[in-house]
Amino acid sequence: MSKKLTEAREYEANESKRISPKQRPVFHVTPYIGWLNDPNGFSYYKGQFHLFYQYHPYSIEWGPMHWGHVVSDDLLHWKYLPCAMTVDAEYDKNGVFSGSATELPDGRQLLMYTGVSEIQEPGSELKKNCQTQCLAIGDGLNYQKWKNNPVIDPSMMPEGTSKEDFRDPKIVPQEDGTYRCYVSTKASDGGGEILVYRSEDGFHWEYSNILTKNGNRVGKMWECPDFFTLDGKQVLFVSPMEIRMGQIENRIGYCSIAIVGTVNPETGKLDEEWMQPMDYGIDFYAHQTMTAPDGRQIMVAWMQNWETTSERGENFPWMGQMTVPRELWIEDGRIHQRPVRELDACRTNPVKLDKQIIGSEEIHFDGVEGRVLDLTLRIRPADEAGYHAFRLRFAEDESRKNYCEIKFRPDKCELSMNRLHSGSCRALVHKCTAPVRDQNGELTLRLILDRFSAEVFLNGGEQTMSMVYYTDIAATGIGARTEHGNVELSIEKYDIV
Ligand code: FRU
């Protein structure tokens, strides 16, 4: 093991002792210490779920990227393992960037990642960033970078693509025992493009074809590709940067999308059928999936995005968290999501209330409060007059001045999520709106809270909205009211342990 990796492992083991479990979410992954961004190498190996992550142990800021590592039996209770990789080779001295994992036929685990280094441009003093694809082999705890790294370098890229933006390999084993790998790059028009590589053994790679091109339809560079089959369709996940309003619904900036279609066997190109944002909230990026042994396709994402990283807890020793792992399926021409079913076993203290009539005065329900819970609301107009808006506040303090809020406008078919009053001292995006399906004022919301985050699953999972917030943990109130008119509400609440 390199000196740098030994140092990182000693550092995190010692420094993480400063963090009490109370300062972390209960079932969402946070870094062992320091900074976390993208999920990496999400996989099932030797009887456990493994999740790696983009990691900078030495500060709560992004820095030279390491891979952190956690394992779990149920995707909810995670155990820290020592740092898996650090910047200790010439070809990755500026960063061990995002990637993926698979199991080799001989039982070893193979990690594939982007090594970031720099090259001197011919005839210039300038050094340019260079991204290549590399491997590490391990046993679920310790990993050895492969002696022949990098395995995919810029000489293996088609004409007109960028070696500075060439990253985030997703390795996918094929039924015939070979492998494919999907890597993001930038075409000469500045738009993202997904390249496909193939390999007989996972170690020796050759360029195959272009899966699909952005052509500046949705944002510019596309990061973090993932590619899998779901309910008979082929799904490409990408995380576009610099999206403009109107390119994909009402999303702007960084967003994570799915492109669904079928691969043309002749050309290897994805014949696209539809695109959808994978989340409509404030904090969601770099989503990645794995196939569980029971066949479920499970997704996890970084619950943050590059434009909102100044939203953080005061004096928190960690920065960055993952979403709850979510099961995916296709229904009515859309990818749906729900929290993994393992969460059901962690639910306790049920409260069920039916046919509650809510008007414009805020109501708090007995037994319905807390910062770690699973809350389902069914909303419908109480009478023919209907209602103008329904508002649900959570993480509300006793002064009622600090809270987060979800607001539904049936006339506009819009659901918004808002942390403007959560106590943030940053002037950044604090509100997001999702255009929702018209159901004559009816809506089902499942809200998952875990101390510093809220994830909303709408109408049985057809849309989701996620955000983080760092309101004082003593703010546990939950209250509902309408604007003009009455709503009939049913509530099902569980605490999560
Ligand atoms: C996405 C990303 C990846 C890159 C990593 C670096 O959030 O920019 O493209 O590999 O983060 O930390």
Side-chain angles (χ1 to χ4, degrees), residues 408-439:
F408 179 49
R409 282 284 301 266
D411 58 335
K412 291 185 163 176
C413 289
E414 265 183 15
L415 186 83
S416 60
M417 179 179 235
N418 188 338
R419 64 172 180 218
L420 195 60
H421 298 274
S422 66
S424 174
C425 59
R426 299 281 163 205
L428 39 85
V429 177
H430 289 305
K431 184 179 169 193
C432 264
T433 303
V436 302
R437 191 157 52 85
D438 188 357
Q439 297 180 103

PDB file of all heavy atoms in Angstrom, residues 408-439:
ATOM      1  N   PHE A 408     -48.497  22.912  -3.086  1.00  0.00           N
ATOM      2  CA  PHE A 408     -49.142  22.380  -4.292  1.00  0.00           C
ATOM      3  C   PHE A 408     -50.180  23.366  -4.798  1.00  0.00           C
ATOM      4  O   PHE A 408     -51.040  23.805  -4.042  1.00  0.00           O
ATOM      5  CB  PHE A 408     -49.794  21.026  -3.970  1.00  0.00           C
ATOM      6  CG  PHE A 408     -50.504  20.417  -5.146  1.00  0.00           C
ATOM      7  CD1 PHE A 408     -49.887  20.309  -6.391  1.00  0.00           C
ATOM      8  CD2 PHE A 408     -51.810  19.938  -5.019  1.00  0.00           C
ATOM      9  CE1 PHE A 408     -50.546  19.749  -7.485  1.00  0.00           C
ATOM     10  CE2 PHE A 408     -52.471  19.378  -6.108  1.00  0.00           C
ATOM     11  CZ  PHE A 408     -51.842  19.290  -7.335  1.00  0.00           C
ATOM     12  N   ARG A 409     -50.073  23.711  -6.071  1.00  0.00           N
ATOM     13  CA  ARG A 409     -51.051  24.607  -6.715  1.00  0.00           C
ATOM     14  C   ARG A 409     -51.827  23.798  -7.743  1.00  0.00           C
ATOM     15  O   ARG A 409     -51.344  23.570  -8.858  1.00  0.00           O
ATOM     16  CB  ARG A 409     -50.322  25.749  -7.430  1.00  0.00           C
ATOM     17  CG  ARG A 409     -49.815  26.866  -6.550  1.00  0.00           C
ATOM     18  CD  ARG A 409     -50.934  27.792  -6.094  1.00  0.00           C
ATOM     19  NE  ARG A 409     -51.646  28.421  -7.201  1.00  0.00           N
ATOM     20  CZ  ARG A 409     -51.360  29.621  -7.699  1.00  0.00           C
ATOM     21  NH1 ARG A 409     -50.403  30.341  -7.191  1.00  0.00           N
ATOM     22  NH2 ARG A 409     -52.062  30.115  -8.709  1.00  0.00           N
ATOM     23  N   PRO A 410     -53.054  23.334  -7.387  1.00  0.00           N
ATOM     24  CA  PRO A 410     -53.797  22.484  -8.326  1.00  0.00           C
ATOM     25  C   PRO A 410     -54.152  23.208  -9.623  1.00  0.00           C
ATOM     26  O   PRO A 410     -54.167  22.578 -10.692  1.00  0.00           O
ATOM     27  CB  PRO A 410     -55.055  22.096  -7.550  1.00  0.00           C
ATOM     28  CG  PRO A 410     -55.149  23.044  -6.413  1.00  0.00           C
ATOM     29  CD  PRO A 410     -53.784  23.552  -6.126  1.00  0.00           C
ATOM     30  N   ASP A 411     -54.394  24.518  -9.557  1.00  0.00           N
ATOM     31  CA  ASP A 411     -54.772  25.233 -10.791  1.00  0.00           C
ATOM     32  C   ASP A 411     -53.617  25.256 -11.791  1.00  0.00           C
ATOM     33  O   ASP A 411     -53.809  25.144 -12.998  1.00  0.00           O
ATOM     34  CB  ASP A 411     -55.233  26.659 -10.472  1.00  0.00           C
ATOM     35  CG  ASP A 411     -54.171  27.468  -9.732  1.00  0.00           C
ATOM     36  OD1 ASP A 411     -53.312  26.851  -9.057  1.00  0.00           O
ATOM     37  OD2 ASP A 411     -54.173  28.711  -9.838  1.00  0.00           O
ATOM     38  N   LYS A 412     -52.392  25.355 -11.285  1.00  0.00           N
ATOM     39  CA  LYS A 412     -51.219  25.392 -12.175  1.00  0.00           C
ATOM     40  C   LYS A 412     -50.598  24.010 -12.385  1.00  0.00           C
ATOM     41  O   LYS A 412     -49.640  23.884 -13.147  1.00  0.00           O
ATOM     42  CB  LYS A 412     -50.131  26.272 -11.559  1.00  0.00           C
ATOM     43  CG  LYS A 412     -50.449  27.744 -11.517  1.00  0.00           C
ATOM     44  CD  LYS A 412     -49.219  28.441 -10.990  1.00  0.00           C
ATOM     45  CE  LYS A 412     -49.216  29.918 -11.269  1.00  0.00           C
ATOM     46  NZ  LYS A 412     -48.053  30.555 -10.659  1.00  0.00           N
ATOM     47  N   CYS A 413     -51.089  23.000 -11.636  1.00  0.00           N
ATOM     48  CA  CYS A 413     -50.473  21.670 -11.641  1.00  0.00           C
ATOM     49  C   CYS A 413     -48.983  21.792 -11.339  1.00  0.00           C
ATOM     50  O   CYS A 413     -48.125  21.344 -12.122  1.00  0.00           O
ATOM     51  CB  CYS A 413     -50.694  20.961 -12.974  1.00  0.00           C
ATOM     52  SG  CYS A 413     -52.370  20.465 -13.197  1.00  0.00           S
ATOM     53  N   GLU A 414     -48.670  22.419 -10.240  1.00  0.00           N
ATOM     54  CA  GLU A 414     -47.275  22.649  -9.853  1.00  0.00           C
ATOM     55  C   GLU A 414     -47.050  22.286  -8.400  1.00  0.00           C
ATOM     56  O   GLU A 414     -47.842  22.667  -7.541  1.00  0.00           O
ATOM     57  CB  GLU A 414     -46.957  24.142  -9.976  1.00  0.00           C
ATOM     58  CG  GLU A 414     -46.330  24.520 -11.278  1.00  0.00           C
ATOM     59  CD  GLU A 414     -45.970  25.994 -11.300  1.00  0.00           C
ATOM     60  OE1 GLU A 414     -45.948  26.660 -10.235  1.00  0.00           O
ATOM     61  OE2 GLU A 414     -45.725  26.477 -12.409  1.00  0.00           O
ATOM     62  N   LEU A 415     -45.956  21.579  -8.172  1.00  0.00           N
ATOM     63  CA  LEU A 415     -45.553  21.321  -6.791  1.00  0.00           C
ATOM     64  C   LEU A 415     -44.204  21.991  -6.572  1.00  0.00           C
ATOM     65  O   LEU A 415     -43.283  21.788  -7.364  1.00  0.00           O
ATOM     66  CB  LEU A 415     -45.407  19.825  -6.543  1.00  0.00           C
ATOM     67  CG  LEU A 415     -45.129  19.504  -5.080  1.00  0.00           C
ATOM     68  CD1 LEU A 415     -46.417  19.454  -4.291  1.00  0.00           C
ATOM     69  CD2 LEU A 415     -44.408  18.182  -4.938  1.00  0.00           C
ATOM     70  N   SER A 416     -44.095  22.785  -5.520  1.00  0.00           N
ATOM     71  CA  SER A 416     -42.791  23.395  -5.275  1.00  0.00           C
ATOM     72  C   SER A 416     -42.244  22.949  -3.932  1.00  0.00           C
ATOM     73  O   SER A 416     -42.990  22.558  -3.027  1.00  0.00           O
ATOM     74  CB  SER A 416     -42.864  24.921  -5.361  1.00  0.00           C
ATOM     75  OG  SER A 416     -43.765  25.379  -4.398  1.00  0.00           O
ATOM     76  N   MET A 417     -40.936  22.989  -3.859  1.00  0.00           N
ATOM     77  CA  MET A 417     -40.213  22.582  -2.659  1.00  0.00           C
ATOM     78  C   MET A 417     -39.331  23.773  -2.314  1.00  0.00           C
ATOM     79  O   MET A 417     -38.687  24.333  -3.206  1.00  0.00           O
ATOM     80  CB  MET A 417     -39.378  21.380  -3.061  1.00  0.00           C
ATOM     81  CG  MET A 417     -38.531  20.816  -2.005  1.00  0.00           C
ATOM     82  SD  MET A 417     -37.651  19.390  -2.693  1.00  0.00           S
ATOM     83  CE  MET A 417     -38.128  18.169  -1.508  1.00  0.00           C
ATOM     84  N   ASN A 418     -39.313  24.168  -1.037  1.00  0.00           N
ATOM     85  CA  ASN A 418     -38.757  25.465  -0.711  1.00  0.00           C
ATOM     86  C   ASN A 418     -38.030  25.421   0.638  1.00  0.00           C
ATOM     87  O   ASN A 418     -38.601  24.984   1.633  1.00  0.00           O
ATOM     88  CB  ASN A 418     -39.951  26.427  -0.633  1.00  0.00           C
ATOM     89  CG  ASN A 418     -39.524  27.861  -0.496  1.00  0.00           C
ATOM     90  OD1 ASN A 418     -38.424  28.168  -0.064  1.00  0.00           O
ATOM     91  ND2 ASN A 418     -40.434  28.751  -0.849  1.00  0.00           N
ATOM     92  N   ARG A 419     -36.780  25.855   0.661  1.00  0.00           N
ATOM     93  CA  ARG A 419     -36.034  25.895   1.926  1.00  0.00           C
ATOM     94  C   ARG A 419     -35.600  27.322   2.249  1.00  0.00           C
ATOM     95  O   ARG A 419     -34.645  27.522   3.016  1.00  0.00           O
ATOM     96  CB  ARG A 419     -34.832  24.951   1.882  1.00  0.00           C
ATOM     97  CG  ARG A 419     -33.820  25.342   0.853  1.00  0.00           C
ATOM     98  CD  ARG A 419     -32.535  24.541   0.934  1.00  0.00           C
ATOM     99  NE  ARG A 419     -31.632  24.997  -0.108  1.00  0.00           N
ATOM    100  CZ  ARG A 419     -30.835  24.223  -0.819  1.00  0.00           C
ATOM    101  NH1 ARG A 419     -30.793  22.939  -0.604  1.00  0.00           N
ATOM    102  NH2 ARG A 419     -30.048  24.742  -1.733  1.00  0.00           N
ATOM    103  N   LEU A 420     -36.270  28.288   1.663  1.00  0.00           N
ATOM    104  CA  LEU A 420     -35.891  29.690   1.842  1.00  0.00           C
ATOM    105  C   LEU A 420     -35.865  30.093   3.318  1.00  0.00           C
ATOM    106  O   LEU A 420     -35.033  30.877   3.746  1.00  0.00           O
ATOM    107  CB  LEU A 420     -36.884  30.566   1.074  1.00  0.00           C
ATOM    108  CG  LEU A 420     -36.489  31.999   0.832  1.00  0.00           C
ATOM    109  CD1 LEU A 420     -35.201  32.075   0.029  1.00  0.00           C
ATOM    110  CD2 LEU A 420     -37.602  32.714   0.068  1.00  0.00           C
ATOM    111  N   HIS A 421     -36.778  29.511   4.107  1.00  0.00           N
ATOM    112  CA  HIS A 421     -36.867  29.872   5.527  1.00  0.00           C
ATOM    113  C   HIS A 421     -36.233  28.823   6.434  1.00  0.00           C
ATOM    114  O   HIS A 421     -36.565  28.723   7.600  1.00  0.00           O
ATOM    115  CB  HIS A 421     -38.337  30.071   5.912  1.00  0.00           C
ATOM    116  CG  HIS A 421     -38.984  31.182   5.149  1.00  0.00           C
ATOM    117  ND1 HIS A 421     -38.934  32.490   5.547  1.00  0.00           N
ATOM    118  CD2 HIS A 421     -39.646  31.170   3.968  1.00  0.00           C
ATOM    119  CE1 HIS A 421     -39.550  33.237   4.653  1.00  0.00           C
ATOM    120  NE2 HIS A 421     -39.992  32.469   3.693  1.00  0.00           N
ATOM    121  N   SER A 422     -35.327  28.014   5.868  1.00  0.00           N
ATOM    122  CA  SER A 422     -34.767  26.924   6.674  1.00  0.00           C
ATOM    123  C   SER A 422     -33.651  27.401   7.589  1.00  0.00           C
ATOM    124  O   SER A 422     -33.123  26.630   8.368  1.00  0.00           O
ATOM    125  CB  SER A 422     -34.221  25.836   5.746  1.00  0.00           C
ATOM    126  OG  SER A 422     -33.116  26.346   5.016  1.00  0.00           O
ATOM    127  N   GLY A 423     -33.279  28.673   7.461  1.00  0.00           N
ATOM    128  CA  GLY A 423     -32.188  29.184   8.283  1.00  0.00           C
ATOM    129  C   GLY A 423     -30.912  29.342   7.480  1.00  0.00           C
ATOM    130  O   GLY A 423     -29.852  29.660   8.030  1.00  0.00           O
ATOM    131  N   SER A 424     -30.989  29.124   6.170  1.00  0.00           N
ATOM    132  CA  SER A 424     -29.801  29.270   5.312  1.00  0.00           C
ATOM    133  C   SER A 424     -29.332  30.718   5.293  1.00  0.00           C
ATOM    134  O   SER A 424     -30.142  31.642   5.350  1.00  0.00           O
ATOM    135  CB  SER A 424     -30.147  28.844   3.885  1.00  0.00           C
ATOM    136  OG  SER A 424     -29.062  29.110   3.028  1.00  0.00           O
ATOM    137  N   CYS A 425     -28.010  30.922   5.223  1.00  0.00           N
ATOM    138  CA  CYS A 425     -27.503  32.293   5.110  1.00  0.00           C
ATOM    139  C   CYS A 425     -26.919  32.516   3.720  1.00  0.00           C
ATOM    140  O   CYS A 425     -26.116  33.409   3.503  1.00  0.00           O
ATOM    141  CB  CYS A 425     -26.469  32.558   6.192  1.00  0.00           C
ATOM    142  SG  CYS A 425     -25.089  31.436   6.116  1.00  0.00           S
ATOM    143  N   ARG A 426     -27.293  31.685   2.779  1.00  0.00           N
ATOM    144  CA  ARG A 426     -26.760  31.778   1.420  1.00  0.00           C
ATOM    145  C   ARG A 426     -27.851  32.193   0.444  1.00  0.00           C
ATOM    146  O   ARG A 426     -28.948  31.628   0.476  1.00  0.00           O
ATOM    147  CB  ARG A 426     -26.230  30.420   0.957  1.00  0.00           C
ATOM    148  CG  ARG A 426     -25.123  29.897   1.801  1.00  0.00           C
ATOM    149  CD  ARG A 426     -23.814  30.557   1.445  1.00  0.00           C
ATOM    150  NE  ARG A 426     -22.857  30.346   2.501  1.00  0.00           N
ATOM    151  CZ  ARG A 426     -21.833  31.140   2.740  1.00  0.00           C
ATOM    152  NH1 ARG A 426     -21.646  32.230   2.019  1.00  0.00           N
ATOM    153  NH2 ARG A 426     -21.004  30.874   3.708  1.00  0.00           N
ATOM    154  N   ALA A 427     -27.504  33.114  -0.436  1.00  0.00           N
ATOM    155  CA  ALA A 427     -28.461  33.536  -1.460  1.00  0.00           C
ATOM    156  C   ALA A 427     -28.257  32.678  -2.694  1.00  0.00           C
ATOM    157  O   ALA A 427     -27.541  33.052  -3.613  1.00  0.00           O
ATOM    158  CB  ALA A 427     -28.261  35.008  -1.792  1.00  0.00           C
ATOM    159  N   LEU A 428     -28.808  31.488  -2.676  1.00  0.00           N
ATOM    160  CA  LEU A 428     -28.702  30.640  -3.860  1.00  0.00           C
ATOM    161  C   LEU A 428     -30.050  29.997  -4.113  1.00  0.00           C
ATOM    162  O   LEU A 428     -31.035  30.394  -3.512  1.00  0.00           O
ATOM    163  CB  LEU A 428     -27.559  29.623  -3.709  1.00  0.00           C
ATOM    164  CG  LEU A 428     -27.304  28.964  -2.375  1.00  0.00           C
ATOM    165  CD1 LEU A 428     -28.178  27.765  -2.187  1.00  0.00           C
ATOM    166  CD2 LEU A 428     -25.859  28.525  -2.284  1.00  0.00           C
ATOM    167  N   VAL A 429     -30.091  29.005  -4.989  1.00  0.00           N
ATOM    168  CA  VAL A 429     -31.392  28.397  -5.304  1.00  0.00           C
ATOM    169  C   VAL A 429     -31.968  27.731  -4.052  1.00  0.00           C
ATOM    170  O   VAL A 429     -31.343  26.841  -3.478  1.00  0.00           O
ATOM    171  CB  VAL A 429     -31.235  27.335  -6.419  1.00  0.00           C
ATOM    172  CG1 VAL A 429     -32.561  26.647  -6.699  1.00  0.00           C
ATOM    173  CG2 VAL A 429     -30.686  27.976  -7.663  1.00  0.00           C
ATOM    174  N   HIS A 430     -33.143  28.168  -3.631  1.00  0.00           N
ATOM    175  CA  HIS A 430     -33.787  27.555  -2.474  1.00  0.00           C
ATOM    176  C   HIS A 430     -35.172  27.031  -2.805  1.00  0.00           C
ATOM    177  O   HIS A 430     -35.907  26.628  -1.921  1.00  0.00           O
ATOM    178  CB  HIS A 430     -33.896  28.566  -1.331  1.00  0.00           C
ATOM    179  CG  HIS A 430     -32.579  28.890  -0.700  1.00  0.00           C
ATOM    180  ND1 HIS A 430     -31.737  27.925  -0.195  1.00  0.00           N
ATOM    181  CD2 HIS A 430     -31.950  30.066  -0.498  1.00  0.00           C
ATOM    182  CE1 HIS A 430     -30.648  28.500   0.298  1.00  0.00           C
ATOM    183  NE2 HIS A 430     -30.754  29.797   0.119  1.00  0.00           N
ATOM    184  N   LYS A 431     -35.532  27.105  -4.080  1.00  0.00           N
ATOM    185  CA  LYS A 431     -36.879  26.686  -4.440  1.00  0.00           C
ATOM    186  C   LYS A 431     -36.872  26.039  -5.817  1.00  0.00           C
ATOM    187  O   LYS A 431     -36.196  26.526  -6.721  1.00  0.00           O
ATOM    188  CB  LYS A 431     -37.794  27.905  -4.461  1.00  0.00           C
ATOM    189  CG  LYS A 431     -39.231  27.566  -4.732  1.00  0.00           C
ATOM    190  CD  LYS A 431     -40.096  28.801  -4.724  1.00  0.00           C
ATOM    191  CE  LYS A 431     -41.462  28.424  -5.282  1.00  0.00           C
ATOM    192  NZ  LYS A 431     -42.262  29.579  -5.584  1.00  0.00           N
ATOM    193  N   CYS A 432     -37.596  24.939  -5.945  1.00  0.00           N
ATOM    194  CA  CYS A 432     -37.715  24.273  -7.239  1.00  0.00           C
ATOM    195  C   CYS A 432     -39.170  23.912  -7.459  1.00  0.00           C
ATOM    196  O   CYS A 432     -39.891  23.638  -6.496  1.00  0.00           O
ATOM    197  CB  CYS A 432     -36.926  22.981  -7.233  1.00  0.00           C
ATOM    198  SG  CYS A 432     -35.305  23.166  -7.934  1.00  0.00           S
ATOM    199  N   THR A 433     -39.572  23.854  -8.714  1.00  0.00           N
ATOM    200  CA  THR A 433     -40.965  23.547  -9.019  1.00  0.00           C
ATOM    201  C   THR A 433     -41.032  22.379  -9.992  1.00  0.00           C
ATOM    202  O   THR A 433     -40.265  22.325 -10.951  1.00  0.00           O
ATOM    203  CB  THR A 433     -41.630  24.780  -9.658  1.00  0.00           C
ATOM    204  OG1 THR A 433     -41.471  25.855  -8.739  1.00  0.00           O
ATOM    205  CG2 THR A 433     -43.094  24.554  -9.902  1.00  0.00           C
ATOM    206  N   ALA A 434     -41.951  21.472  -9.731  1.00  0.00           N
ATOM    207  CA  ALA A 434     -42.168  20.363 -10.669  1.00  0.00           C
ATOM    208  C   ALA A 434     -43.544  20.522 -11.303  1.00  0.00           C
ATOM    209  O   ALA A 434     -44.530  20.718 -10.600  1.00  0.00           O
ATOM    210  CB  ALA A 434     -42.095  19.033  -9.932  1.00  0.00           C
ATOM    211  N   PRO A 435     -43.610  20.418 -12.636  1.00  0.00           N
ATOM    212  CA  PRO A 435     -44.923  20.389 -13.284  1.00  0.00           C
ATOM    213  C   PRO A 435     -45.519  18.999 -13.062  1.00  0.00           C
ATOM    214  O   PRO A 435     -44.886  18.010 -13.420  1.00  0.00           O
ATOM    215  CB  PRO A 435     -44.586  20.605 -14.768  1.00  0.00           C
ATOM    216  CG  PRO A 435     -43.149  20.226 -14.916  1.00  0.00           C
ATOM    217  CD  PRO A 435     -42.492  20.255 -13.583  1.00  0.00           C
ATOM    218  N   VAL A 436     -46.688  18.892 -12.438  1.00  0.00           N
ATOM    219  CA  VAL A 436     -47.229  17.561 -12.130  1.00  0.00           C
ATOM    220  C   VAL A 436     -48.489  17.285 -12.950  1.00  0.00           C
ATOM    221  O   VAL A 436     -49.120  18.201 -13.475  1.00  0.00           O
ATOM    222  CB  VAL A 436     -47.510  17.377 -10.614  1.00  0.00           C
ATOM    223  CG1 VAL A 436     -46.254  17.599  -9.806  1.00  0.00           C
ATOM    224  CG2 VAL A 436     -48.617  18.297 -10.128  1.00  0.00           C
ATOM    225  N   ARG A 437     -48.844  16.021 -13.007  1.00  0.00           N
ATOM    226  CA  ARG A 437     -50.004  15.579 -13.783  1.00  0.00           C
ATOM    227  C   ARG A 437     -51.293  16.121 -13.161  1.00  0.00           C
ATOM    228  O   ARG A 437     -51.441  16.144 -11.941  1.00  0.00           O
ATOM    229  CB  ARG A 437     -50.012  14.043 -13.776  1.00  0.00           C
ATOM    230  CG  ARG A 437     -50.949  13.380 -14.707  1.00  0.00           C
ATOM    231  CD  ARG A 437     -50.443  11.961 -14.994  1.00  0.00           C
ATOM    232  NE  ARG A 437     -50.173  11.186 -13.790  1.00  0.00           N
ATOM    233  CZ  ARG A 437     -51.095  10.487 -13.125  1.00  0.00           C
ATOM    234  NH1 ARG A 437     -52.353  10.479 -13.521  1.00  0.00           N
ATOM    235  NH2 ARG A 437     -50.761   9.782 -12.053  1.00  0.00           N
ATOM    236  N   ASP A 438     -52.215  16.518 -14.023  1.00  0.00           N
ATOM    237  CA  ASP A 438     -53.490  17.059 -13.553  1.00  0.00           C
ATOM    238  C   ASP A 438     -54.393  15.920 -13.078  1.00  0.00           C
ATOM    239  O   ASP A 438     -54.739  15.030 -13.843  1.00  0.00           O
ATOM    240  CB  ASP A 438     -54.163  17.809 -14.712  1.00  0.00           C
ATOM    241  CG  ASP A 438     -55.400  18.563 -14.235  1.00  0.00           C
ATOM    242  OD1 ASP A 438     -55.754  18.450 -13.041  1.00  0.00           O
ATOM    243  OD2 ASP A 438     -56.006  19.269 -15.062  1.00  0.00           O
ATOM    244  N   GLN A 439     -54.771  15.960 -11.791  1.00  0.00           N
ATOM    245  CA  GLN A 439     -55.683  14.944 -11.259  1.00  0.00           C
ATOM    246  C   GLN A 439     -56.810  15.633 -10.496  1.00  0.00           C
ATOM    247  O   GLN A 439     -57.206  15.170  -9.426  1.00  0.00           O
ATOM    248  CB  GLN A 439     -54.941  13.985 -10.339  1.00  0.00           C
ATOM    249  CG  GLN A 439     -53.856  13.181 -11.036  1.00  0.00           C
ATOM    250  CD  GLN A 439     -53.153  12.242 -10.061  1.00  0.00           C
ATOM    251  OE1 GLN A 439     -53.388  11.055 -10.035  1.00  0.00           O
ATOM    252  NE2 GLN A 439     -52.296  12.804  -9.216  1.00  0.00           N
TER     253      GLN A 439
END
